[in-house]
Amino acid sequence: MSPELQMYLAQGIHGLAYGMLLFLVASGLTLIFGMMGILNIAHASFFMLSAYLCVTVLNATGSYWLSLFLAPLGVALLGVLVERFMLRRAQASGLGHIAELLLTLGIALVMAEAIKLTWGTEGLQVMAPRSLAGLVNIGGLEYPIYRLFIIGLSLVVLAVLSLVLYRTRLGTIVRAAVSDPDMVSVLGVNTRRVFMLVFGLGTWMAGVAGVAAAPILTVFPGLADQMGMDAFVVVVVGGFGSLFGALVAALFLGELNAYGIQFIPKLSPVLMFAFMALVLAFKPTGLFGDRE
Amino acid sequence: MFFRASNLNTYYGLIHALQNISLNVERGEIVSLLGRNGMGKSTTLKSIMGLAPPQSGVIEFQGQSIFQAPCHKVARAGVGLVPQERRIFPHLTVEENLLMGVKAGCAPPKDLEPWSLKRVYKHFNSLERRSRNKGFQLSGGEQQMLAMGRALMGNPLLLLVDEPSEGLAPLLVREVRDVLLQVNQAGVSILLVEHNLKVAMSLAHRCYLLGKGFVAFEGSMAQLQARPDIMAKYLEVS
């Protein structure tokens, strides 16, 4: 392979890895929005918290695999508690979506400050586990195994998510509730319990992404803002409530980001937003959504 | 008393949508709610179902209070709703839509033959052919049949049906009418909101006529027909 082709390939895989991470975060965001009508501003904070928990578990036990198991679980538990004891009350307040928006914004701010108090403001480095630390030769290109692992891990989560959504009764309920939660409760389903589960599932996926991303990003208090903005763009471009849309948009924006950095580094930070504006100009509901 | 609602008061913000509405349904009856648009017919059904919870009043179903009960509890007590806009799940297949109607962990009433996919398909022939299609691919008539089939899958004892003939061609209106009659003969009581007076007349045993949020008249269909003055005042002339 020519060096030029190798560069294209490397950026392509880079983009794929980032796109899959984006999908893990954005899918929870879009599911929660579709079902509960809540734009969860704190969603990426769960992603960030998981990365920090990963640091702590890693320091305590030295096992990356244990932190991959524990950190997302802890974050999901927190997510379930937030839904059960805070969001539910905000929704019952009768103030409409503004109450939920303010609540999740507040949670995001509190989590950011709590993280600074606990872990400090310095950037922390996480090492990939030794078994995944090396390089692999792809047609002459030496490529880090860890990024391939991110892609594989995300694919496994995607497969499990699809199985649950398309092969179980719970999944049918979730897909129905994404378009019309009231009608689902008219049919005798306690949708509050389903909301809690989906909130937990969404934050768990954000948590998996947080641990997966920790070794390739610096773990610092601004992590949530960066990921949150990108995931928001993915949800808007893919269409609110559309999982398939989120997947397509995440992969596309991942690649756009990777090649953008390579070829027009000065413009790359605005490329995503320019693309979002372009999509919205022609299709206000996003690529695969039916809501404005 | 099989079903009784009395002195229901429901507000939408500052609008007093239902003002002391009282009505009842006996076992096996078809009762129709009549009145012009915006008089509170749909709101009455939504209030019973728990979608627009009333602020005050009494709602009892089979001797059990379902006043201000959450929607899913009302459903699990044995009340089904066929909503006005049909509200089919657009991205689910016809079969998945029907299966959504099953109330998991809820035993069907003893004295009624339970509904199954097979039984629904027998009553709604057009749905079987479409079982793998997505909800959004159905015509208006098919969506109406699906909405009814979905509600029946939950084995309701009382079915609230909101404007089933709205927007349908005359042939389909007759089909909807026939199905409702069969469902009723199978033992399901029906509270029907219907603006097509001919359909309501041919189905219902009794009716309640709503003015702006209150019951203006109640009685048998024959009693209503004997009062052209009331019909002129509270119904569309058509």
Side-chain angles (χ1 to χ4, degrees), chain B residues 107-223:
Chain B
K110 285 181 218 70
D111 46 345
L112 288 186
E113 187 192 337
W115 288 86
S116 59
L117 280 179
K118 217 172 118 193
R119 188 167 169 216
V120 167
Y121 287 148
K122 210 179 80 195
H123 279 82
F124 307 95
N125 300 323
S126 59
L127 291 184
E128 186 160 20
R129 277 199 317 274
R130 304 284 254 152
S131 66
R132 302 258 154 247
N133 285 105
K134 294 275 175 75
F136 71 85
Q137 295 169 311
L138 302 187
S139 68
E142 288 167 331
Q143 288 194 4
Q144 185 60 51
M145 302 296 167
L146 181 54
M148 287 199 279
R150 182 179 63 182
L152 289 170
M153 288 294 282
N155 296 305
L157 279 166
L158 173 65
L159 195 58
L160 313 174
V161 187
D162 201 351
E163 300 280 13
S165 71
E166 192 178 43
L168 298 187
L171 205 66
L172 286 167
V173 172
R174 211 158 66 207
E175 202 178 326
V176 166
R177 198 201 77 99
D178 291 347
V179 168
L180 285 175
L181 203 58
Q182 288 163 18
V183 166
N184 177 245
Q185 279 160 358
V188 180
S189 312
I190 295 174
L191 181 56
L192 172 72
V193 168
E194 178 57 71
H195 71 277
N196 184 330
L197 197 59
K198 242 167 59 189
V199 173
M201 287 281 182
S202 71
L203 278 172
H205 306 110
R206 291 189 299 119
C207 71
Y208 292 86
L209 187 49
L210 296 194
K212 195 130 190 81
F214 60 91
V215 176
F217 171 88
E218 61 173 290
S220 70
M221 298 313 280
Q223 282 169 330

Side-chain angles (χ1 to χ4, degrees), chain B residues 32-113:
Chain B
S32 76
L33 267 180
L34 303 170
R36 294 203 176 101
N37 282 338
M39 297 295 119
K41 294 169 296 181
S42 292
T43 304
T44 305
L45 297 191
K46 284 181 184 158
S47 287
I48 295 170
M49 197 68 225
L51 280 173
Q55 265 76 5
S56 66
V58 174
I59 310 179
E60 279 175 7
F61 182 57
Q62 297 190 294
Q64 189 190 345
S65 171
I66 52 168
F67 174 70
Q68 288 185 340
C71 212
H72 69 275
K73 291 221 168 111
V74 177
R76 295 178 86 83
V79 182
L81 172 69
V82 182
Q84 185 172 14
E85 316 78 14
R86 282 102 198 212
R87 294 173 76 165
I88 295 307
F89 302 115
H91 303 295
L92 266 54
T93 65
V94 166
E95 194 157 309
E96 284 174 331
N97 265 283
L98 288 173
L99 290 174
M100 275 302 295
V102 176
K103 291 166 193 161
C106 230
K110 285 181 218 70
D111 46 345
L112 288 186
E113 187 192 337

Side-chain angles (χ1 to χ4, degrees), chain A residues 165-166 169 172-173 175-177 179-191 290, chain B residues 49 51 71-72 75-76 79 81 83 87 89-92 96 99-104 150:
Chain A
L165 281 178
Y166 290 93
R169 159 122 183 131
T172 313
I173 290 172
R175 283 184 295 131
S179 54
D180 194 344
D182 278 351
M183 192 60 220
V184 173
S185 55
V186 164
L187 297 172
V189 176
N190 185 352
T191 38
D290 32 34
Chain B
M49 197 68 225
L51 280 173
C71 212
H72 69 275
R76 295 178 86 83
V79 182
L81 172 69
R87 294 173 76 165
F89 302 115
H91 303 295
L92 266 54
E96 284 174 331
L99 290 174
M100 275 302 295
V102 176
K103 291 166 193 161
R150 182 179 63 182

Side-chain angles (χ1 to χ4, degrees), chain A residues 89-209:
Chain A
R89 285 186 197 172
Q91 286 201 310
S93 71
L95 295 171
H97 291 321
I98 192 76
E100 300 143 12
L101 215 58
L102 285 174
L103 176 66
T104 59
L105 178 63
I107 293 171
L109 293 174
V110 169
M111 275 169 80
E113 289 308 311
I115 280 172
K116 282 181 204 160
L117 283 175
T118 315
W119 283 280
T121 50
E122 297 281 311
L124 305 174
Q125 296 294 335
V126 171
M127 298 295 280
R130 197 167 303 145
S131 53
L132 300 174
L135 297 170
V136 65
N137 190 312
I138 310 171
L141 170 72
E142 294 286 329
Y143 196 81
I145 298 176
Y146 187 77
R147 282 179 195 259
L148 297 178
F149 164 74
I150 290 182
I151 297 171
L153 177 71
S154 309
L155 283 175
V156 170
V157 174
L158 175 62
V160 171
L161 181 67
S162 319
L163 276 179
V164 171
L165 281 178
Y166 290 93
R167 289 283 178 274
T168 67
R169 159 122 183 131
L170 176 67
T172 313
I173 290 172
V174 170
R175 283 184 295 131
V178 164
S179 54
D180 194 344
D182 278 351
M183 192 60 220
V184 173
S185 55
V186 164
L187 297 172
V189 176
N190 185 352
T191 38
R192 288 281 14 158
R193 218 183 297 164
V194 181
F195 286 175
M196 201 167 80
L197 268 172
V198 167
F199 208 86
L201 179 75
T203 45
W204 179 78
M205 286 195 294
V208 171

